[in-house]
Amino acid sequence: SAAAPPAPARGATVALNKPKGVLCTHRDELGRETVYDMLRQKLPPALQSHYHALGRLDADTTGLLLLTTETPLVAAATHPENHLPKKYYALAAGRLDDATIESLRGGVEL
């Protein structure tokens, strides 16, 4: 396996609007597009490095995804002991009845 490119002299963090169908994984055994493929295509050579996602979005989910070369930032943002609060917003097709809305207000265990 090829060595990872060196990290920039200063850390880098990028915001990516992840489209539907793109995976949040470094490698996909089925050859599907990943957020890291997108970075390699879009970032200038000076910013090419080994990035880590600050969280994940499902393949069918779109939205903001932060990726960084700052390993301590990844650890602080994703380690369960830090209890970093997260909010997710979703659009539902059709109308939800009152019971479903009330159930969702209590949160969804992932």
Side-chain angles (χ1 to χ4, degrees):
S1 138
R10 294 184 349 202
T13 300
V14 297
L16 175 73
N17 184 10
K18 190 193 93 53
K20 182 177 181 177
V22 176
L23 304 177
C24 290
T25 185
H26 279 277
R27 233 175 265 123
D28 180 61
E29 64 279 354
L30 300 178
R32 295 171 291 187
E33 185 176 22
T34 73
V35 294
Y36 302 100
D37 295 331
M38 291 182 69
L39 286 183
R40 282 188 290 278
Q41 295 165 12
K42 305 243 182 234
L43 288 179
L47 289 178
Q48 296 286 330
S49 185
H50 192 70
Y51 285 84
H52 300 280
L54 294 168
R56 292 189 172 286
L57 295 173
D58 290 338
D60 289 337
T61 303
T62 64
L64 174 67
L65 184 65
L66 297 176
L67 299 109
T68 187
T69 62
E70 300 273 345
T71 308
L73 177 58
V74 175
T78 60
H79 198 284
E81 287 181 3
N82 293 333
H83 303 289
L84 186 67
K86 298 172 183 77
K87 283 190 179 183
Y88 298 91
Y89 296 91
L91 296 176
R95 295 186 56 85
L96 301 176
D97 61 43
D98 290 342
T100 302
I101 291 171
E102 195 55 40
S103 172
L104 290 172
R105 280 193 177 119
V108 177
E109 182 103 13
L110 298 177

